[in-house]
Amino acid sequence: MNVRRFDFDSLCSTNDTALALAGEHPGEVLLVTAATQTGGRGRNGRTWHSPVGGAWLSLAWPCPREPEHYQAAPLLAGLAVIETAGALLPHDADLAIKWPNDVLLNGRKLAGVLCQRQLPAAVSTSHATPANALIVGIGVNVNLDPALLGNDLRRPATSLRQALGHEVNLSAFSDALIADLTQRMARMEAHGLTPAEVAAIEARMLWRGQTVNFQHNGASKQGRLEGLDQYGRLILQTATESLTLASGEIEQLHAF
Ligand code: BT5
């Protein structure tokens, strides 16, 4: 796969730069990396802390097909992180995907994914609009000290260095991650998620079989987290119906 690479010491956000570069290089797969980000972003305008020592990168993926062909991209990115990190960690390391975009290691946040669409100029931003490119932004805490991330985090963080007790070769890690992800993206574009990928993600899914609170656009539903459909959508069994959900957030419901 031909990937055009742009490596920077510092950027505001690799996603912003990838969005801009995708407009200048239509039809090409681009990779943007930065050693640090000054305005790293999470979902819903949240801040992503990006000191030196993390893998902060964005893949710009041209999208000739309809949007639904790419909807599992955040999960594939999470799976690519799990495969790449899992190759370095002991077998009993607990790597989990918190649907749709977090990777946890031993219950702490190791990585996050932020996907954005680069749309053609002067078209509506409706989700039915085919995008020129999908930007898959991935942040992985590789060699940094999680204590430096501040105390305003929504859940505790970790890093590979913290879990392993030693540093990891950051550029080799990023290269392996991108090689894994680009292969999966190409396959997903052509054939959808493979049954093996659905099974691998389900096997790592946080709170599977448990009752969760699902939220999207201010509305919430409670139900049992059953697993995924073939497109990577969440299947939630409420008291009255089985729901298939494409985007949103889940949190565990604690019994009182
Ligand atoms: C995410 O959002 O987890 C998506 C993060 C995506 C970051 C990548 S880095 C490359 C690319 N360029 C960008 O600008 N972004 C992408 P969300 O689920 O909304 O989680 C955000 C929350 O995670 C924050 O509100 C903090 O509580 C917490 N957080 C911030 N920085 C963190 C870090 N380095 N490690 C662990 N947790 C962090």
Side-chain angles (χ1 to χ4, degrees):
M1 162 100 26
N2 217 356
V3 180
R4 189 194 284 257
R5 248 187 112 122
F6 300 85
D7 297 302
F8 296 88
D9 286 337
S10 177
L11 285 178
C12 178
S13 156
T14 55
N15 267 32
D16 291 349
T17 302
L19 278 165
L21 286 170
E24 294 168 23
H25 300 273
E28 286 185 62
V29 179
L30 310 177
L31 173 65
V32 178
T33 75
T36 73
Q37 297 182 116
T38 52
R41 283 183 287 111
R43 298 196 305 161
N44 303 324
R46 293 192 280 260
T47 298
W48 184 258
H49 301 292
S50 317
V52 169
W56 320 130
L57 51 88
S58 301
L59 188 70
W61 190 268
C63 297
R65 306 195 70 183
E66 298 303 308
E68 57 270 22
H69 286 277
Y70 306 96
Q71 65 187 359
L75 290 171
L76 280 191
L79 190 57
V81 170
I82 283 190
E83 290 294 325
T84 312
L88 303 171
L89 290 161
H91 285 306
D92 61 353
D94 177 15
L95 282 161
I97 293 187
K98 176 173 172 283
W99 186 91
N101 76 320
D102 284 356
V103 177
L104 307 184
L105 170 57
N106 301 327
R108 293 168 172 260
K109 185 154 169 166
L110 175 71
V113 177
L114 176 67
C115 288
Q116 293 180 272
R117 302 185 317 141
Q118 194 254 338
L119 296 166
V123 296
S124 87
T125 56
S126 133
H127 275 270
T129 310
N132 283 336
L134 179 69
I135 311 300
V136 185
I138 310 179
V140 189
N141 299 330
V142 178
N143 287 330
L144 54 84
D145 176 0
L148 301 178
L149 295 174
N151 49 18
D152 64 336
L153 301 181
R154 300 172 85 214
R155 63 171 59 244
T158 190
S159 68
L160 289 176
R161 188 184 83 180
Q162 184 178 64
L164 287 165
H166 60 80
E167 292 212 342
V168 165
N169 182 325
L170 181 56
S171 66
F173 177 85
S174 301
D175 289 352
L177 175 62
I178 288 304
D180 187 290
L181 180 59
T182 49
Q183 249 184 43
R184 290 181 193 279
M185 290 287 294
R187 206 166 46 214
M188 176 177 71
E189 184 176 87
H191 311 293
L193 283 179
T194 65
E197 283 169 336
V198 173
I201 298 165
E202 279 187 325
R204 298 284 190 179
M205 248 177 120
L206 193 67
W207 305 324
R208 186 162 180 228
Q210 298 179 33
T211 305
V212 296
N213 191 42
F214 168 86
Q215 286 196 305
H216 185 50
N217 287 344
S220 73
K221 296 267 182 193
Q222 294 176 2
R224 195 178 120 102
L225 200 166
E226 297 290 346
L228 299 176
D229 75 356
Q230 58 175 319
Y231 304 108
R233 295 177 301 188
L234 190 80
I235 301 172
L236 191 74
Q237 180 64 51
T238 72
T240 53
E241 57 188 336
S242 176
L243 300 172
T244 305
L245 304 156
S247 59
E249 301 218 22
I250 52 169
E251 283 306 329
Q252 193 172 28
L253 262 195
H254 295 286
F256 290 101

